[in-house]
């Protein structure tokens, strides 16, 4: 039994029921067997086995480095990793081998965690489906689960095995899939507008976006510096708390991190919500919200009330401007961030020698996909002298209003907010790609984006399966640096939902490997 959580796997390692090498080998074989999901861009098999052997040595000698010693983890391919290719799923960085580890990667390695590989994403994190990658789209493992397949057959709409699957959400879809499919216990994502929470919701795992400044961005290849945060994907809330304890705190290499030290916390076994005030933002009743999501949202509000919490309707009046405001701020930062990719210093270089300008433009035309090029163009437009005030400055002001909405609500006595994470369950791939990247993001990020504008923490927790057999989730949004309170409520909610994560198992009859979310299945 692989165990579901870090906690369980760590206990098995400590008790000697399993070695770190065995655990690593099981994850490696699962990575190979689920390669069709396209979750990983690079699998670091040799490194993982070496690190696992070192962990075993420490465990044997009673010198464990802590809870994560020997625990397999994966990293989104927009975090730098020493001597391991880091591509951002872009032709521009294909072949780029960074000379250093992102702080968050180093912190996990320092705890003895075992690096399984680098995960797939939308190019440079620009997207919400993990479909816009030069390595091809990521497939949601739940597409292969019994409930989903049966429903497709039942309604006569199963087209063919190879094209009938749903998206993972994005842009950290590789990381969400890696955790959901059981190929690792923890994965790092990044979250600029929802990129950790959105795929976590669609893949039925927990996704935490910490407060801006709590976790170092050093070594995370930037998308929107003023909003990016490393995200944590795990199979349960307790694990997210454990990993946050390892990652959080000041980093001299990231001047935007907090100065104070962070006190790691463990959540108690029993969590209570009786003295809490939970806000339900009325603006989150957005067009397109599925009836099923609305129903879990309402039921959860009732459950909270029955458990003694005070549930109040609140208003965040500037919510409706967040997507358009994000479009201006995101593209403006993208335009300046991407300027470094000119064919001279990093990655791809076009085979053009006519002039420096011709080299730049050919490199960028060849290196970036049309989504990235489109955002650079928009961003440069907003930053033009004659547009700067009209668009960029105005968007900055609106951002402040969006952030102030949260401040007002929280200072009125509300502790956390309860919202949906996404409008509904994951879309079929063929349907999703009918829309352009921007329209899709606008739909997918509608409930997640505001927390990035305000820099406050938010977590998504799986709730139940939709009538199509796909995961549905809810989001809690908390106050800046009050992760402990946020995670406590999230754990309470998790306990009420009894959502059982996906596990792959081998069909004894024909040797096929299949996912299940039933407790009775024997895992690999
Ligand atoms: N979907 C949003 C975008 O495309 C957010 C991406 C993210 O959080 N990295 O910009």
């Amino acid at each position: 039994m692989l165990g579901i959580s870090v906690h369980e796997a760590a206990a098995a390692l400590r008790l000697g029921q399993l070695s770190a090498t065995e655990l690593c080998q099981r994850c490696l074989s699962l990575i190979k067997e689920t390669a069709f999901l396209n979750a990983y861009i690079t699998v670091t098999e040799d490194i993982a086995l070496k690190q696992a052997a070192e962990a075993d040595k420490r465990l044997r000698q009673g010198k464990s480095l802590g809870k994560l010693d020997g625990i397999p983890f994966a990293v989104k391919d927009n975090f730098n990793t020493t001597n391991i290719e880091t591509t951002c799923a872009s032709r521009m960085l294909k072949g780029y081998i960074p000379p250093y580890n992102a702080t968050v990667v180093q912190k996990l390695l320092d705890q003895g965690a075992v690096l399984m590989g680098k995960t797939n994403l939308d190019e440079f994190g620009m997207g919400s489906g993990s479909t816009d990658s030069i390595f091809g789209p990521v497939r949601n493992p739940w597409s292969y689960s019994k409930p989903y397949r049966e429903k497709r057959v039942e309604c006569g709409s199963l087209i063919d095995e190879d094209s009938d699957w749903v998206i993972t959400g994005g842009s950290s879809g590789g990381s969400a899939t890696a955790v959901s499919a059981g190929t690792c216990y923890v994965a790092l994502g990044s979250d600029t507008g929802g990129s950790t929470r959105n795929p976590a919701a669609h893949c039925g795992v927990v996704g935490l976006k910490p407060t801006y400044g709590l976790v170092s961005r050093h070594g995370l290849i930037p998308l929107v510096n003023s909003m990016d945060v490393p995200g944590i994907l795990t199979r349960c809330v307790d694990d997210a708390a454990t990993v946050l304890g390892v990652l959080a705190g000041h980093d001299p290499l990231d001047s935007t991190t907090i100065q104070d030290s962070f006190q790691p916390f463990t959540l108690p076994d029993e969590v209570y919500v009786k003295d809490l005030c939970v806000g339900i933002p009325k603006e989150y009743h957005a067009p397109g919200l599925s009836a099923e999501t609305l129903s879990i949202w309402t039921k959860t509000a009732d459950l909270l009330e029955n458990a003694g919490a005070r549930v109040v309707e609140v208003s965040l009046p500037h919510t409706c401007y967040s997507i358009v405001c994000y479009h201006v701020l995101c593209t403006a930062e993208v335009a300046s961030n991407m300027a470094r990719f000119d064919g001279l210093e990093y990655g791809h270089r076009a085979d053009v020698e006519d002039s420096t300008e011709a080299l730049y433009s050919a490199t960028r035309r060849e290196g970036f996909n049309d989504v990235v090029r489109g955002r650079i163009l928009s961003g440069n437009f907003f930053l033009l002298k004659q547009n700067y005030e009209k668009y960029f400055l105005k968007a900055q002001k609106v951002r402040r209003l969006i952030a102030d909405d949260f401040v007002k609500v929280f200072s009125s006595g509300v502790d956390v907010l309860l919202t949906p994470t996404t409008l509904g369950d994951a879309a079929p791939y063929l349907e999703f790609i009918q829309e352009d990247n921007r329209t899709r993001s606008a739909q997918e990020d509608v409930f997640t984006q505001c927390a990035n504008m305000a820099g406050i923490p938010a977590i998504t927790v799986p709730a139940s399966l939709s009538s199509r057999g796909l995961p549905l989730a809810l989001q809690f949004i908390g106050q800046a640096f009050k992760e402990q309170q946020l995670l406590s409520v999230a754990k309470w909610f998790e306990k009420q939902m009894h959502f059982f994560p996906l596990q792959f198992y081998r069909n004894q009859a024909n040797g096929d490997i299949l996912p299940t979310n039933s407790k009775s299945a024997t895992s690999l």
Side-chain angles (χ1 to χ4, degrees):
M1 176 73 186
L2 271 180
I4 294 294
S5 65
V6 168
H7 179 74
E8 286 166 309
L13 291 177
R14 208 176 41 245
L15 297 171
Q17 293 165 340
L18 189 75
S19 72
T21 304
E22 280 164 340
L23 187 61
C24 175
Q25 276 163 342
R26 288 183 194 190
C27 287
L28 283 170
S29 85
L30 204 45
I31 290 176
K32 284 178 197 153
E33 305 219 38
T34 58
F36 62 93
L37 298 173
N38 209 12
Y40 287 81
I41 292 175
T42 306
V43 180
T44 49
E45 179 165 355
D46 295 345
I47 295 173
L49 287 168
K50 190 165 165 271
Q51 290 171 347
E54 284 162 10
D56 277 331
K57 201 166 151 204
R58 284 191 298 270
L59 290 161
R60 270 197 309 274
Q61 295 171 343
K63 290 184 182 159
S64 165
L65 295 173
K67 260 195 187 163
L68 296 182
D69 207 353
I71 300 294
F73 78 106
V75 176
K76 186 176 181 179
D77 208 21
N78 58 353
F79 286 94
N80 282 323
T81 39
T82 313
N83 296 334
I84 301 167
E85 189 181 7
T86 297
T87 67
C88 284
S90 173
R91 186 151 187 244
M92 186 58 94
L93 282 182
K94 206 158 181 295
Y96 171 60
I97 311 280
Y100 70 99
N101 277 329
T103 298
V104 283
V105 174
Q106 192 57 50
K107 284 190 167 190
L108 289 172
L109 293 174
D110 289 346
Q111 290 287 311
V114 171
L115 178 64
M116 307 309 294
K118 305 292 295 288
T119 58
N120 206 348
L121 65 155
D122 289 298
E123 189 161 327
F124 284 98
M126 297 185 204
S128 43
S130 303
T131 50
D132 291 330
S133 155
I134 47 154
F135 300 99
V138 189
R139 297 180 180 204
N140 191 321
W142 286 87
S143 319
Y144 300 91
S145 69
K146 238 174 146 202
Y148 178 74
R149 290 277 140 178
E150 277 174 3
K151 287 278 153 50
R152 298 295 283 170
V153 173
E154 221 172 84
C155 60
S157 42
L158 187 76
I159 318 156
D160 72 88
E161 290 286 325
D162 208 45
S163 51
D164 196 332
W165 46 272
V166 298
I167 57 147
T168 57
S171 62
S172 314
S175 288
T177 300
V179 173
S180 172
T183 64
C184 63
Y185 286 79
V186 177
L188 294 179
S190 58
D191 197 312
T192 308
S195 273
T196 291
R197 289 162 287 156
N198 176 280
H202 285 321
C203 293
V205 297
V206 170
L208 170 67
K209 168 223 171 303
T211 306
Y212 184 86
L214 183 60
V215 177
S216 169
R217 291 179 294 114
H218 173 68
L220 165 62
I221 296 171
L223 173 60
V224 183
N225 309 51
S226 69
M227 297 183 208
D228 295 341
V229 273
I232 299 168
L233 296 117
T234 52
R235 263 172 263 160
C236 64
V237 175
D238 276 326
D239 287 357
T242 303
V243 177
L244 182 70
V246 170
L247 301 184
H250 177 65
D251 179 8
L253 298 169
D254 176 357
S255 61
T256 60
T257 48
I258 45 159
Q259 292 300 323
D260 306 339
S261 63
F262 176 79
Q263 200 50 50
F265 54 84
T266 314
L267 299 168
D269 284 343
E270 278 307 319
V271 272
Y272 301 97
V273 290
K274 60 178 181 321
D275 296 320
L276 277 188
C277 178
V278 181
I280 308 286
K282 62 174 185 203
E283 290 77 10
Y284 282 55
H285 287 89
L289 179 66
S290 80
E292 289 178 316
T293 307
L294 176 62
S295 150
I296 310 172
W297 189 20
T298 317
K299 270 192 209 139
T300 305
D302 292 344
L303 281 175
L304 279 161
E305 239 169 15
N306 293 340
R310 198 157 63 86
V311 178
V312 292
E313 188 185 75
V314 298
S315 175
L316 300 163
H318 297 93
T319 300
C320 56
Y321 302 114
S322 118
I323 293 293
V324 59
C325 176
Y326 175 71
H327 179 65
V328 177
L329 297 177
C330 166
T331 56
E333 290 200 40
V334 161
S336 51
N337 271 329
M338 296 295 147
R340 79 193 71 189
F341 301 111
D342 53 13
L344 299 183
E345 251 183 297
Y346 311 96
H348 179 68
R349 178 180 299 177
D351 193 12
V352 172
E353 285 169 0
D354 310 353
S355 67
T356 315
E357 207 151 276
L359 171 69
Y360 285 170
S361 77
T363 297
R364 291 158 73 78
R365 193 171 53 245
E366 291 171 8
F368 293 134
N369 71 3
D370 54 357
V371 174
V372 179
R373 286 202 304 273
R375 290 201 195 188
I376 295 172
L377 280 173
S378 303
N380 282 325
F381 172 82
F382 295 135
L383 292 173
L384 286 174
K385 194 162 176 242
Q386 66 270 31
N387 292 337
Y388 184 80
E389 210 162 302
K390 194 163 147 210
Y391 296 106
F392 185 70
L393 272 190
K394 188 178 251 173
Q396 294 276 35
K397 289 178 186 164
V398 176
R399 177 178 185 176
R400 165 62 58 204
L401 295 174
I402 294 170
D404 282 351
D405 282 351
F406 286 106
V407 173
K408 279 185 200 137
V409 164
F410 287 133
S411 57
S412 75
V414 169
D415 296 300
V416 291
L417 299 168
L418 172 67
T419 78
T421 313
T422 57
L423 289 167
D425 60 7
Y429 172 68
L430 294 178
E431 211 173 274
F432 187 75
I433 56 168
Q434 297 305 315
E435 302 279 6
D436 64 275
N437 174 287
R438 189 170 160 211
T439 313
R440 295 180 215 145
S441 279
Q443 288 162 355
E444 292 290 335
D445 303 346
V446 64
F447 301 132
T448 49
Q449 217 299 302
C450 286
N452 298 81
M453 288 281 178
I456 53 180
I459 186 167
T460 179
V461 181
S464 61
L465 290 187
S466 68
S467 57
R468 296 197 304 149
L470 296 171
L472 294 170
L474 290 184
Q475 170 180 242
F476 289 94
I477 305 176
Q479 304 171 55
F481 301 108
K482 289 208 176 169
E483 268 76 3
Q484 186 159 5
Q485 184 180 56
L486 179 69
L487 269 69
S488 297
V489 191
K491 180 167 173 173
W492 175 88
F493 172 68
E494 180 181 51
K495 282 200 161 184
Q496 311 302 308
M497 292 297 115
H498 306 291
F499 181 89
F500 199 75
L502 201 70
Q503 292 240 83
F504 276 87
Y505 74 100
R506 192 181 303 283
N507 181 335
Q508 298 302 343
N510 59 10
D512 281 357
I513 122 140
L514 297 165
T516 177
N517 72 323
S518 119
K519 268 191 176 147
S520 54
T522 352
S523 65
L524 279 176

